[in-house]
């Protein structure tokens, strides 16, 4: 299972929402049980880690 950690913060996939920004209507789904909204997906394809970091919601 995909898990992201930053210090004491931990993020795991939740069915029905974007893994990065918690958008309730993800459009891209992976075989690793992670889903992404179109904006986060495009940022990942560009490799824009700073923008992805700014979009990350840790709750």
């Amino acid at each position: 299972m995909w898990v992201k950690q930053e210090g004491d913060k931990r993020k795991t996939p939740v069915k029905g929402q974007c893994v990065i920004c918690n958008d309730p209507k993800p459009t891209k789904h992976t075989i690793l049980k992670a889903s992404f909204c179109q904006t986060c997906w495009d940022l990942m394809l560009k490799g824009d880690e700073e923008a992805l970091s700014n979009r990350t919601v840790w709750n």
Side-chain angles (χ1 to χ4, degrees):
M1 179 181 275
W2 181 87
V3 177
K4 181 175 181 178
Q5 294 183 357
E6 184 174 291
D8 293 336
K9 303 175 199 169
R10 183 178 175 120
K11 190 142 179 86
T12 57
V14 174
K15 186 175 183 173
Q17 71 183 33
C18 175
V19 171
I20 296 170
C21 69
N22 295 347
D23 185 325
K25 297 181 182 178
T27 56
K28 303 291 184 185
H29 308 281
T30 69
I31 60 173
L32 299 174
K33 299 182 181 178
S35 299
F36 302 93
C37 68
Q38 189 64 49
T39 303
C40 290
W41 185 260
D42 291 341
L43 290 171
M44 285 190 303
L45 290 178
K46 286 181 188 177
D48 191 344
E49 292 184 26
E50 184 175 335
L52 281 172
S53 180
N54 291 337
R55 289 184 61 83
T56 301
V57 177
W58 288 100
N59 312 15

